[in-house]
DNA sequence: CTATAACTTGGAGTCGACTCCAAGTCAATA
DNA sequence: TATTGACTTGGAGTCGACTCCAAGTTATAG
């Protein structure tokens, strides 16, 4: 049998684009399982670990909170998700979230395109919010269309280089 | 001339799904321009303000940091973006970011679908990272494919109800 | 006249997600 | 033998984005 290739934390960081510190942090908060160690205590990673971290990175890019990523890691390649009905439900609901997030993003792309090719269509951007019901409950955000999103304070911070930062 | 409808901060919050506190916060950090006030000092909002806040909400859903949203607000409906070449560049680059974010999200959707319909294809998820080059510079994250993303520690936190929280 | 509600302000506190640091181990090299 | 580099740990600090609070104002209802 051929030995599987292993990686140091540094290599893993480079491979995944996630910093060493962050990888250790993910392990610390148990988002990642405790990595195997060599005799000297150094962590070792395998391709499958890198795949996992890449999935995390993927979700991270989309602004998903770390806690919400946990269920995804619970779904192993081999395990049949159908055996865990609640997990399936969770995945489905997450899928819905993500699909609506894609819609939001597409709206922003549309907005930019409209701006870039100067004046065009415009559609809705909001969708049901069912997550963070803080103190003042927003019953139903009325899902009104953003008709030709307009904001007319170009003067306020225009001229590029918003005055101070960047 | 007919008077334009105005909204209180409470109504605006309900309409947009963004809390009153947060709307005030956005004004405080000048993400939103100072709202008009009534004689008694209460803020008043118009449809266009609501549109603006909805655009913010839209970008927020995608995990975009508040600072990055500023340029979008600088683009008024009427102003011709072509007059501000740097702004156009910024919009273009943001558009690229968002498009690649959509790709990331689509990957996650694919991942879920794969899990749900039990074993299927799998493609890449990572794309070039050119933003946060922290201490240890990740030159090129190697853009390797996530081949059949696998993680085999179902046991670690499975059984639903990850042990402790929720 | 008083109480309630809807707002205002400034500022403090919280929480998530890192990011940094100090002290220590271990292995290879000058 | 001393130093360098790659790692380890625990814990402290930072930063963004809220979220909450106390004190004050104004308008309406009982």
């Amino acid at each position: 049998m051929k030995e599987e290739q292993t990686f140091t934390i540094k290599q893993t960081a480079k491979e995944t684009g996630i910093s060493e510190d962050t990888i250790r942090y993910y392990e610390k908060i148990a988002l990642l399982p405790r990595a195997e160690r060599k005799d000297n205590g150094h962590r070792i990673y395998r391709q499958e670990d890198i795949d996992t971290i890449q999935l995390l990175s993927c979700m991270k890019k989309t602004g998903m909170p770390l806690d919400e990523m946990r269920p995804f890691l619970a779904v192993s390649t081999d395990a049949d998700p159908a055996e865990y009905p609640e997990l399936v439900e969770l995945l489905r609901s997450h899928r819905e979230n993500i699909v609506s997030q894609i819609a939001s993003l597409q709206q922003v792309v549309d907005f930019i395109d409209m701006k870039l090719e100067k004046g065009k269509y415009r559609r809705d951007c909001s969708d049901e919010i069912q997550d963070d019901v803080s103190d003042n409950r927003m019953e139903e955000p009325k899902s009104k269309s953003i008709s030709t999103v307009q904001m007319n304070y170009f003067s306020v911070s225009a001229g590029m280089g918003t005055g101070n930062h960047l």
Side-chain angles (χ1 to χ4, degrees), chain A residues 24-50:
Chain A
R24 285 193 209 97
Y25 171 68
Y26 286 174
E27 185 179 318
K28 182 147 56 177
I29 64 169
L31 181 58
L32 290 170
R34 180 172 166 85
E36 261 181 90
R37 310 293 155 121
K38 287 196 285 211
D39 291 356
N40 59 11
H42 290 192
R43 288 168 178 82
I44 51 179
Y45 296 95
R46 302 215 157 67
Q47 189 54 50
E48 67 200 63
D49 300 311
I50 288 177

Side-chain angles (χ1 to χ4, degrees), chain A residues 82-98:
Chain A
E83 294 171 26
Y84 306 80
E86 311 203 332
L87 186 53
V88 169
E89 249 332 283
L90 205 82
L91 284 181
R92 271 194 216 292
S93 107
H94 265 299
R95 189 185 188 286
E96 286 322 296
N97 287 169
I98 294 167

Side-chain angles (χ1 to χ4, degrees), chain A residues 62-77:
Chain A
T62 71
M64 180 183 291
L66 301 184
D67 264 13
E68 286 184 30
M69 297 180 189
R70 286 214 167 78
F72 289 88
L73 302 189
V75 185
S76 90
T77 326

Side-chain angles (χ1 to χ4, degrees), chain A residues 31 35-36 49 64 66 80 86 101 104-105 108 110 120 123 127 143 145 154 165:
Chain A
L31 181 58
E36 261 181 90
D49 300 311
M64 180 183 291
L66 301 184
D80 181 359
E86 311 203 332
Q101 241 200 90
S104 278
L105 283 167
V108 180
D110 289 353
K120 268 260 170 75
R123 284 210 317 294
D127 48 273
S143 246
S145 293
F154 203 2
H165 47 45

